[in-house]
Amino acid sequence: MAWLMSRLMKSRRRVAARNIEACFPELDAAQREALIDECFASLGRMLFETTWSWSASEKRIRSMGKVVGLEHLLEARRGGRGVLIMTAHVTCLEIGGRFIGLEFPDCSGIYRPLKSPVLEWYQNRSRARYSAGAISKRDMRGAIRFLRQGGMLWYAPDQDF
């Protein structure tokens, strides 16, 4: 799977190779290649995790993690002000979104519009089942308005695919 993903995304593999070489100069060529392969294997798993997370049962999603520090989020919400949640943008992002949606179905998220209108429609429809919807990263004024109205907004800075 890693080999296939990395071959399908040759330019991304070159970017990954440059970044890993810059960040981990102590690794030899074989170690860097292994790390790149692991990254692309994770990317391949993400495709399956995404579609699975949109249809998995609430019970199954809850079994995948645990909320720590929920009291801080609840305290922030009690004041009636908006709450911005920031996380890393990692390959299991959709599972995290479902997990947040179980506790806070009124939470919305920032998303990057896709090039394919069909895939974007499917993605947004699927996410709307467990969230308050999505706000395009091209609509930062809408995001600020949502926060000013007391909304909860999840932002995971996007990777550049």
Side-chain angles (χ1 to χ4, degrees), residues 92-136:
C92 58
L93 185 73
E94 294 296 331
I95 295 171
R98 273 293 306 277
F99 206 82
I100 289 172
L102 292 173
E103 295 297 325
F104 302 102
D106 61 333
C107 184
S108 189
I110 299 284
Y111 82 102
R112 180 179 53 85
L114 302 175
K115 290 178 184 172
S116 165
V118 172
L119 289 177
E120 182 168 348
W121 171 83
Y122 183 64
Q123 169 188 272
N124 291 343
R125 183 193 69 149
S126 298
R127 289 175 175 171
R129 290 181 32 234
Y130 58 83
S131 73
I135 299 172
S136 168

Side-chain angles (χ1 to χ4, degrees), residues 3-150:
W3 179 85
L4 177 62
M5 289 299 296
S6 68
R7 295 306 171 243
L8 291 173
M9 302 179 78
K10 285 182 183 178
S11 68
R12 294 283 106 200
R13 185 173 182 82
R14 283 191 297 274
V15 169
R18 280 194 311 270
N19 288 341
I20 288 173
E21 186 174 3
C23 293
F24 302 103
E26 72 280 4
L27 297 180
D28 64 32
Q31 290 171 314
R32 287 194 300 266
E33 280 299 311
L35 191 53
I36 292 168
D37 286 344
E38 288 175 38
C39 290
F40 280 95
S42 181
L43 185 60
R45 282 190 303 274
M46 178 212 51
L47 298 173
F48 296 102
E49 288 173 349
T50 296
T51 55
W52 172 84
S53 70
W54 290 341
S55 62
S57 71
E58 181 178 321
K59 180 180 178 183
R60 182 69 176 118
I61 293 293
R62 285 191 189 280
S63 75
M64 303 213 44
K66 148 178 132 169
V67 177
V68 177
L70 183 60
E71 67 277 6
H72 303 293
L73 190 52
L74 294 173
E75 176 68 23
R77 292 209 77 191
R78 272 195 275 283
R81 298 180 62 185
V83 174
L84 177 63
I85 302 169
M86 289 193 68
T87 66
H89 189 290
V90 293
T91 57
C92 58
L93 185 73
E94 294 296 331
I95 295 171
R98 273 293 306 277
F99 206 82
I100 289 172
L102 292 173
E103 295 297 325
F104 302 102
D106 61 333
C107 184
S108 189
I110 299 284
Y111 82 102
R112 180 179 53 85
L114 302 175
K115 290 178 184 172
S116 165
V118 172
L119 289 177
E120 182 168 348
W121 171 83
Y122 183 64
Q123 169 188 272
N124 291 343
R125 183 193 69 149
S126 298
R127 289 175 175 171
R129 290 181 32 234
Y130 58 83
S131 73
I135 299 172
S136 168
K137 77 176 201 171
R138 296 178 185 143
D139 183 19
M140 284 296 124
R141 288 183 182 189
I144 292 168
R145 215 173 12 259
F146 182 75
L147 287 169
R148 284 187 175 152
Q149 295 167 353

